[in-house]
Amino acid sequence: MNEMLLVVMLAGRRAVIPAVVVNSVIELGEVTPVPRTAPHIAGLAALRSRPLTLIDCALSLGLDREPTDCRTCRAVVVEHEGHLYGLMVEAADDIVAALAEPGPLGADPGPGWSRVASARIETAAGALPCLDIAALIAGPEEALAA
Amino acid sequence: MDDLLAEFVAETREMLGALAGEIVAWEANPDDRARLDTIFRFVHTVKGNCGFFDFPQLEALSHAAEDALADVRAGHRRADSRLVDAVLAVIDRIGVMIGEIERGEPLSEATDDVLIAALAGELDGGAISQIGSVRHSPVTPAAEQRTIRLPVDLIDQVMSGVSEMVLARNDLARRMQSLGADTGLEAPFARLSALIAEVRDAITRTRMRRIEGLFSTFPRLVRDLSAELGKQVFVEIENGEVELDREMIELIRDPLLHIIRNAVDHGIEAPAERLAAGKREAGMLTISARQSGNTIHIGIMDDGRGIDVDKLAAKAIAAGTHTPEQIAAMSREEKIDLIYEPGLSTAETVTAISGRGVGMDVVRANIEKFGGTLEIESLPGEGTRFLICVPLTLSILPSLTVEAGGQTFAVPRSYVEEIVSTAGGNLEFAQIGERRYLTFRDRRLACISLGEALRLERNDDPTLFVILRLGWGDLYALEVDRIFDHHELVIKPLSPGIMKSGLFVGCTQLDDGTPVLVLDVAAIGYGAGLPRELHRPSAITAHAAPRAEREGLRVILFRALDGERRAIAMSVVEQVERAGATAVRRPGPDAQIVLGEDILPLAGVPADVELPERITVLRLCEGGERIAYAASEVIDIATLDGVLKRVNGQTHVVGVTLIDGETAELVDCHALFASQAAHTAGHGTLTCRLDGDETWMRNFLGPIIEAAGYRIVDEGPADVAFVEGDIGDKDECEARKAIRLRSAPGPADGPDSIYRYDRAALMAALLRAGQELAA
């Protein structure tokens, strides 16, 4: 099975998102911040007439960093439970084919990654972690509460 | 009315269509409870709708079917094949009648009596075949109408397509602007814009309808119901200009009708019962609708007797659904929830109006079917409040856009009471600790900074306030930095991560495509510490505003009629009003005043002073006792912090103190109320005798006569006598003055003849009699 995967750059590391769930990859224009919400929710943008909830993936990893700059990042648009989300990553350029079925992660990939990475996949670009979209959207607080 | 009728026909037809499958399934298995319930709801709904229209045949038929099915539901009767046949025949017959109604023909005379008899189980085998023939009579197809029913999904799709077109047009407009003038595209672009706007309007109209259309039928319904029941009910409708999905309006109509019928029938008491309970004769039914983002809140509130939970609990035990132990462990709220149990009702008699109380399980099932919720709150003796929340996935929300902390937000317009600004210079503020209060129409409203509530920036010198009215009358002032405009916005749901903050109800896009958050103004208000006043919306007045945190007694400073500056504790002052000197009776120490429908003892009137034409009256209230205090003007509100010097020889004054450098006498409230207590204890100078219906006069008239300063005597001569109309004239001579009462309203049949519930006239007559006798 040659599943197509979108390679993204997140917190300086490469990871993949299954291409079937990706609606599009966009550059962001104006972003409306949302007050009093979790830090990894970067704000709202509009994709045509639908609202797009922006997820700052680096903050969602739980990494202690500056918020990602909306003007330089890319947003991977995915639909999750009826809502559109924009996953903000540093780059999203390549599409690669999976060379094997996803396997276990193996050794602990480090803080944050163990929560948002669901599996390890061998691809044409090497072995990469596959991102769990639900975990990215939920963010670090949800994990603490659970 | 034609619209309503067409809707009734369409709705019934739709239900009939949906029912076809259920009927077959029920026929196959008459013990199937779920199918039985569905069919029962159908006839119940048809019967209910008939209350609107004049279709006695249809109503009789559906009522009979409902009765029969209710017996089956309650287990009193088995659904044998004869009953099933009869019910099916009735449903077919309803279909025929609906066809006739639709074509505007008179309803055909058919075998309805036979059907009803069959339902009641009074027919034998012979007649069943006749029913059969009725049942299989072909239903003529209705004449074609110029309307079609479309799936909502399709309209949604068109609607969102139009929204995208608007955005594309705006994008085009921006690009054209950057090209400069004379591109040659202006005229076609203008035409395109106009067309898009037209299509957008049309498509919006296909789904939206003002809830007013539904609500406007309620006053008439309530009027007819209350007349039938011998009750008086005022209806107050507040629609908040809410627009609602056409489909949703159809869905909420039945539940609303049920609740209103129940409120009038079971909630609001008969006039005599209300008077005995110290309420106004006429009940009050408030129906309101408000839009809050994706939810419409519909409230139905009555001031009736409340839900009798004990009776409900007893019924639950009798019906075997709960054990006494389970009931004993329940809270009042849990007991109220028993009202949703099928077949339980506190109504003692089955009436044509709200049936046997099957309502609530049906009502809740219907509301929950489309994702809504129903909440009931009830206080014994004070009334019941129903709150229906229904979701609104696609709606046009009239909104006000505001700015705070550099961001734009939308506020649903249905909450906006008024916008006020300090620019006019006549706003009055109070500062209680960190909380600012704004005086708006004599009410002190807490100010809440939107910037601060959203953890943005707080503007310390706000100039603009949006006065917001939450459900049930809570008001507050939202401080904002700028106010932009009114928009008609299409609201979209937010993702759960954002909804979690609880401060927003949805998001929307401005014309340029920028997303804007829609505020949940209720959550912001209550989140910022606004107290909830759920049950008593009238309780918040300026007088109930929190007192200053400084030590010392808050007083109202006023000038008395004798020219002295006096102060009185603010806590006893209920109201300040103006009254004419003619309302004052017997100026002097025993003075009284007529205020509205009350006669109150009036203090502060010197015996030897000419009364000004109009006086200021402080209404004092403590422990249920009321006294009026006369003044020439109210000067200020102050705090007593100086030393109080005792004075001698002054009645009703505790002492003298300095306020703002001038002396003021502090009124002795204790002495005031003490003298009043002695007064009502029976030292009235005038006597009054009651001739007639002993209980009514004693219980109803007695208190007000005593309050007016009379002493009631059982027999013998009296100063004033109240005589009921039908008692002979002879007895009157034992009183110096007689007031005749009649039991029916209408024109008077003689001098001093007063309808016995015309309170104002009664009061006036008492006062007049007193004046005449004193003269």
Side-chain angles (χ1 to χ4, degrees), chain B residues 315-380:
Chain B
K315 291 251 180 164
I317 296 172
T321 56
H322 291 79
T323 64
E325 293 75 31
Q326 282 172 324
I327 296 285
M330 282 179 162
S331 66
R332 180 174 161 84
E333 286 70 32
E334 286 169 323
K335 284 183 191 162
I336 288 176
D337 285 347
L338 287 173
I339 203 164
Y340 301 124
E341 295 281 330
L344 286 193
S345 167
T346 59
E348 281 171 11
T349 49
V350 174
T351 66
I353 286 144
S354 50
R356 55 198 68 64
V358 286
M360 294 321 289
D361 60 320
V362 180
V363 168
R364 192 164 74 162
N366 280 341
I367 293 174
E368 288 180 350
K369 204 161 58 191
F370 51 81
T373 58
L374 172 65
E375 280 174 45
I376 302 181
E377 282 179 29
S378 177
L379 282 182

Side-chain angles (χ1 to χ4, degrees), chain A residues 30-38 41 43-51 53-54 81 83-85 137-138 141-142, chain B residues 160 163-164 167 407 409 453-456 492-498 500-501 503-504 507 509 513-517:
Chain A
E30 280 295 301
V31 169
T32 304
V34 181
R36 291 187 67 179
T37 183
I41 295 179
L44 278 178
L47 182 69
R48 301 205 292 163
S49 66
R50 291 185 68 184
T53 305
L54 297 175
E81 290 175 353
H83 296 276
L84 281 187
Y85 292 88
I137 290 169
E141 275 174 51
E142 196 84 348
Chain B
S160 77
S163 300
E164 309 257 331
L167 294 176
Q407 273 196 52
F409 298 96
L454 297 175
R455 305 278 187 274
L456 299 168
K492 300 277 169 59
L494 285 169
S495 58
I498 298 178
K500 219 165 31 177
S501 74
L503 296 169
F504 312 105
C507 99
Q509 276 174 291
T514 323
V516 167
L517 291 157

Side-chain angles (χ1 to χ4, degrees), chain B residues 95-116:
Chain B
V96 173
M97 284 175 163
I98 290 297
E100 285 163 351
I101 292 168
E102 191 172 17
R103 292 189 298 275
E105 295 168 7
L107 293 186
S108 55
E109 290 298 323
T111 51
D112 291 349
D113 294 344
V114 182
L115 283 176
I116 290 171

